[in-house]
Amino acid sequence: MTTIVLTTLNARYSHACLGLRCLRANLGALRDDSTIVEFTLRAPLQTIVEELLAQAPRVVGFGVYIWNVTQIEAVVRRLKEVAPHIVVVLGGPEVSHEVEQQPICRLADYVVTGWGDVTFARLAQQILHGPRPLMKVHAGEQPPLESLALPYAEYSDADLAHRHVYVEASRGCPFKCEFCLSALDKTAWPFPLEPFLQSLDVLWQRGARRFKFVDRTFNLKVDASVRILEFFLAKLGARPDDPPFLHFELIPDHLPERLKEPIAAFPPGTLQFEIGIQTFNVEVQRLISRRQDNATAEANLRWLRTQSHAHLHVDLIAGLPGEDVESFGAGFDRLVALAPHEIQFGILKRLRGAPIARHTEAFKLQFNPAPPYNVLATDRIDAASMQRLTRAARVWDLVANSGRFAQTLPLLLGTRPFAGLLALTDALHHRLGRLHAVALEDLAAALHADLVERLGVTVQVAAQLLAEDYARAGAHGRLAFVAPGNAGGRARTTMALPRQARHLAGAAALPAAPRSSER
């Protein structure tokens, strides 16, 4: 039996909600009478409700995000039906704006908008010990970060052994990119560095090795960035057989030499950088208040790709105001030429509270009214074209970001990657009828047919390339288009490529830097 339950639905078990741990760490005298109970999106509604009720709580606080708001609304509705005495408090980015328009907020007893570290603790004290507040919506107080209790002791040993450990060296963002909720921040606020490093050391001693930094701008303050990287390099030097995995979000056009030196010192498999390019269109950048030096960003990506072992995950957004399909395609080709390991081909979303909404009328932005609030059409991209781009994003994930078709991909895309991707998308959509829940063997068969029928590759060469990619991906099933006796009826990687395959792959290969850090 616990008085306060803090809960949310994570996308996967490997994710652990940092926000809940921040709330519990700052509950003061109520902390020991609270617990964290996390679920995944796949958990059945009845199971979630039963497990929450089993705690016999007086207060349940939900962390609400764009990916779980629909499911949490159903949980709150059921909870209020069967246990109306339980006080439900909502918090998180999804309920921090447009509160009065959301059914989930009408179901709840209280809503905390913005930062919840201090405000939730005060609200919980008032609910439990009075006087109970009359106001439903409570604006989150932003205290000095040095006054907050750090949340890292709230990670259990099981969390550290099996899940990503989310940490933050800073909060906020000084940039004003209008598609992002961080555009509402006035600046970025750093946590005091020495206590933060001490907390990292404790996590390390407890066995944590997978750290995901949630900072919007990890490389904004280079002195702090270098100190953090040097902390992990020292750990790596002491135990090279027990390396960390570190994820950071970087500003693409800010990579001074002092930061390059420690980055270059990390071995393969230890660093992952998420880098937002979003658009190369200068006019679109101006419209959405995004400051970015494209030439410097490109130079930095080239350096990271060729001079470091970091895995690069680079974001590009389709559907931004002022950008048409041709402009997005040009940016896509420009990014492909830089050869990042992954390109996140995203579709614009209207996050609640994000300033991008100010362009709705001028650029005829039509958004899905339900999560994830993706753009359905603009004045430059009609609905059918946007649907095609959405399918292309899915195909890119299946064929490129999956890493399963490294040899075959250059042939499929040709010398104009975006045009090749659209053609491939149309072919796969026509052949498969759907692009979700596609078995790998069925996808390989569809790619084989596309290589042969659309691109004129011989049956033998197409089968050889796909069989080798299939085996390299670690798959073991029989491919229908590989005849018995040819690679033993199964994917095999030892056979030399036929001459036509070598010629086609060489002629059509995308510009690429050395891939020493491919995993």
Side-chain angles (χ1 to χ4, degrees), residues 272-393:
Q272 177 169 287
F273 292 145
E274 182 175 348
I275 303 171
I277 290 293
Q278 317 307 3
T279 179
F280 280 114
N281 186 311
V282 175
E283 177 58 24
V284 175
Q285 290 171 351
R286 184 191 65 78
L287 278 170
I288 63 173
S289 308
R290 182 173 178 82
R291 302 199 309 268
Q292 180 171 287
D293 184 325
N294 288 337
T296 301
E298 286 180 295
N300 288 339
L301 283 172
R302 289 191 192 95
W303 184 89
L304 287 167
R305 193 64 177 89
T306 59
Q307 304 302 314
S308 83
H309 297 293
H311 185 277
L312 307 183
H313 174 110
V314 185
D315 299 332
L316 206 66
I317 298 177
L320 289 167
E323 186 146 61
D324 57 20
V325 173
E326 182 180 1
S327 170
F328 176 81
F332 185 87
D333 287 349
R334 191 170 173 179
L335 187 53
V336 168
L338 296 169
H341 303 88
E342 295 180 43
I343 296 175
Q344 180 64 50
F345 181 155
I347 306 297
L348 176 67
K349 299 175 179 62
R350 191 195 75 82
L351 304 180
R352 292 187 184 275
I356 198 74
R358 74 185 183 93
H359 298 293
T360 298
E361 184 176 348
F363 291 91
K364 296 181 172 57
L365 305 179
Q366 299 175 30
F367 290 99
N368 183 352
Y373 314 119
N374 50 296
V375 68
L376 304 175
T378 75
D379 65 337
R380 314 294 170 93
I381 305 176
D382 61 28
S385 298
M386 195 67 75
Q387 290 171 359
R388 191 185 187 205
L389 289 175
T390 302
R391 291 193 294 269

Side-chain angles (χ1 to χ4, degrees), residues 165 235 290 323 345 426 440:
V165 176
K235 299 297 185 186
R290 182 173 178 82
E323 186 146 61
F345 181 155
D426 294 342
L440 182 56

Side-chain angles (χ1 to χ4, degrees), residues 478-496:
R478 184 180 298 275
L479 295 173
F481 53 81
V482 178
N486 179 13
R490 289 181 179 270
R492 191 174 71 179
T493 61
T494 56
M495 190 185 305

Side-chain angles (χ1 to χ4, degrees), residues 27 73 106 143 304 317:
L27 273 175
E73 180 183 333
R106 291 194 287 272
L304 287 167
I317 298 177

Side-chain angles (χ1 to χ4, degrees), residues 399-421:
V399 179
N401 286 341
S402 68
R404 291 169 172 163
F405 301 100
Q407 283 195 136
T408 315
L409 185 64
L411 297 182
L412 292 167
L413 299 184
T415 57
R416 298 171 57 225
F418 184 68
L421 175 61

